[in-house]
Amino acid sequence: MSSLSNDTEYITKQLFDAVQRQRICSVNILNEPGPRIVHPYGVCQSGKKIVIVCWQESAPVGKSSGYRNLSLLKCTGVEMQDRHFIVRNDFNPADAMYADWVFHI
């Protein structure tokens, strides 16, 4: 198994734990100058990509808050924070765009 696969598996396990515990995470994305602060809602397959479904609280310059689908394969690290989050009322895991969940809140 390649290093990327092992890293992705480890990151997925970290995200699963954060989702189950409703913990805010600092997420590093390949080639971005700093981490994004997100409320992870789950991981799903969207088309040919596997994405981290989240509410983004803050991000490097130019990125605003809101729902985001971040590429799991471009994620280089996840750090669970001490803060918890509450799932937004407008989140709908049954939405057609999330047809193939790996896991979700």
Side-chain angles (χ1 to χ4, degrees), residues 11-83:
I11 288 168
T12 302
K13 287 178 181 177
Q14 288 179 296
L15 287 165
F16 179 80
D17 190 33
V19 167
Q20 297 303 307
R21 297 170 66 187
Q22 290 184 247
R23 297 279 290 275
I24 294 172
C25 292
S26 172
V27 176
N28 294 304
I29 302 294
L30 188 66
N31 297 324
E32 290 192 357
R36 295 179 186 224
I37 305 302
V38 302
H39 305 180
Y41 285 3
V43 171
C44 81
Q45 185 163 347
S46 178
K48 294 183 179 182
K49 294 181 180 179
I50 298 177
V51 296
I52 303 163
V53 177
C54 62
W55 173 264
Q56 180 172 280
E57 197 175 282
S58 66
V61 178
K63 312 272 194 233
S64 62
S65 63
Y67 284 108
R68 297 288 181 269
N69 293 335
L70 309 175
S71 171
L72 180 64
L73 295 179
K74 290 184 180 179
C75 181
T76 60
V78 173
E79 184 177 324
M80 202 179 329
Q81 305 295 303
D82 290 334
R83 297 185 298 139

